[in-house]
Amino acid sequence: QHCCVCGETGATIMCRHEDCNRWFHLPCAKEGGCVTQYIVDYSSYCPEHRPEQTVDVTPEPDTECLVCMEPVEDTKTYDTMVCPTCRR
């Protein structure tokens, strides 16, 4: 199978979404925006079908993460999670 991220053969992970034929290598998953869930069912998704958080909020400029104190981008991204309660 061809990897949908790098284009090389030998991809072993298939997107779990019904009717999706995209495959990818585990090392390519993060780079390509794929999601692999390491919880029961162990589902993997291509960038088009990956699950997304339903909170419709974007961080304010100069927001810092409350856990690691690193700056948070002021746009909604897959890499940023928003607390559904306080919306930060």
Side-chain angles (χ1 to χ4, degrees):
Q1 299 295 329
H2 288 272
C3 177
C4 68
V5 178
C6 72
E8 298 292 322
T9 59
T12 57
I13 303 171
M14 185 174 110
C15 177
R16 183 159 188 215
H17 190 270
E18 192 173 322
D19 299 325
C20 183
N21 287 352
R22 290 192 181 104
W23 291 75
F24 47 93
H25 301 108
L26 183 59
C28 296
K30 183 175 180 182
E31 175 188 325
C34 304
V35 172
T36 300
Q37 297 176 331
Y38 296 97
I39 54 177
V40 174
D41 282 0
Y42 304 100
S43 304
S44 298
Y45 300 92
C46 70
E48 184 178 329
H49 299 117
R50 67 186 180 198
E52 293 186 9
Q53 191 176 19
T54 57
V55 175
D56 291 324
V57 66
T58 55
E60 295 178 14
D62 301 321
T63 298
E64 288 185 347
C65 173
L66 297 173
V67 176
C68 69
M69 304 306 290
E70 291 289 322
V72 176
E73 294 181 46
D74 60 353
T75 58
K76 185 178 177 184
T77 67
Y78 183 77
D79 296 328
T80 303
M81 293 187 69
V82 178
C83 173
T85 304
C86 70
R87 303 176 73 80
R88 292 190 69 201

